[in-house]
Amino acid sequence: MASASADVQAFSSQMPAKKTLMTRDDALDRLRHIARERAFGRHVGSDRLIQAGLDALIAGVESPSLAMLAGRLRSEEPEAPALFDQVLEELGLLFHPPSDPRAAKWAMAYWIAGQIADGSLDPAVGTHLIWADIAYDLGYPEELEPLVHCAHNLEGWEKSWGVSFEELSSEAIEAAKQFSNARPTAEN
């Protein structure tokens, strides 16, 4: 499972660690993103939860529990997940994936593809997550085949192929856009 650990680290590292002040909307977007990450079973360290709380507080987000989250010390990190959930609830940002495991996998696929399409997630990382964490569990459905194909190409790419890594990344972005656009309206 070393690969899964690397996937989580690569996925988590996609969230920018900005040193500049973020806007209130940026902070809320980060909280939403982390909420989905956690809801889809991704590990998010307490340090990230606390930092997101601090960034949101500095950006002007208001919530009764936000200052308590932002002020957690290293020795108090175990309290961060519960406080983070409390903040999400207070802000109306709590996210629950579908209770049906297959529907939850599809929701995660659309979420990851949307991030690839909008440029907030590296195409190689995102397509690998779809391939390794979703397509297998769903029995490699036809709808995910283009993204799985892109994951294989990006993971195995060699200079001798005569196509650049950037071209393969662009193909993955296009595949993610097409997949996202084909989402049934009832699931949006």
Side-chain angles (χ1 to χ4, degrees):
M1 277 286 149
S3 175
S5 177
D7 291 343
V8 170
Q9 289 173 340
F11 186 72
S12 297
S13 69
Q14 295 303 307
M15 283 305 297
K18 297 179 182 177
K19 297 297 178 194
T20 59
L21 292 179
M22 61 176 56
T23 66
R24 183 178 188 281
D25 288 343
D26 292 339
L28 290 170
D29 285 345
R30 179 179 285 173
L31 293 173
R32 275 187 205 93
H33 177 87
I34 293 173
R36 279 175 172 65
E37 227 178 315
R38 292 179 72 228
F40 286 127
R42 293 290 182 201
H43 171 74
V44 179
S46 292
D47 58 331
R48 277 189 63 211
L49 300 177
I50 294 167
Q51 186 63 52
L54 181 59
D55 291 343
L57 191 64
I58 292 170
V61 175
E62 294 180 17
S63 155
S65 302
L66 190 57
M68 292 187 326
L69 172 64
R72 293 294 96 183
L73 302 172
R74 185 174 273 321
S75 63
E76 299 170 316
E77 282 186 357
E79 301 165 14
L83 278 170
F84 186 80
D85 287 343
Q86 194 171 334
V87 168
L88 293 177
E89 186 151 342
E90 292 166 0
L91 294 171
L93 301 177
L94 206 52
F95 174 78
H96 298 286
S99 58
D100 173 64
R102 288 187 62 79
K105 287 289 183 178
W106 280 108
M108 185 176 177
Y110 284 112
W111 179 63
I112 291 172
Q115 290 178 84
I116 296 168
D118 73 15
S120 63
L121 182 61
D122 179 82
V125 172
T127 56
H128 180 83
L129 286 167
I130 289 172
W131 168 34
D133 292 353
I134 300 167
Y136 174 81
D137 291 342
L138 293 174
Y140 292 102
E142 183 179 322
E143 297 91 337
L144 294 178
E145 194 282 323
L147 292 163
V148 171
H149 179 76
C150 289
H152 284 273
N153 285 343
L154 288 165
E155 188 164 301
W157 178 79
E158 295 181 17
K159 220 176 221 183
S160 64
W161 286 7
V163 61
S164 72
F165 190 81
E166 290 74 23
E167 289 175 82
L168 294 177
S169 292
S170 293
E171 288 177 18
I173 292 168
E174 187 56 37
K177 287 178 181 176
Q178 289 179 9
F179 175 73
S180 294
N181 291 336
R183 183 177 191 169
T185 52
E187 295 180 25
N188 284 329

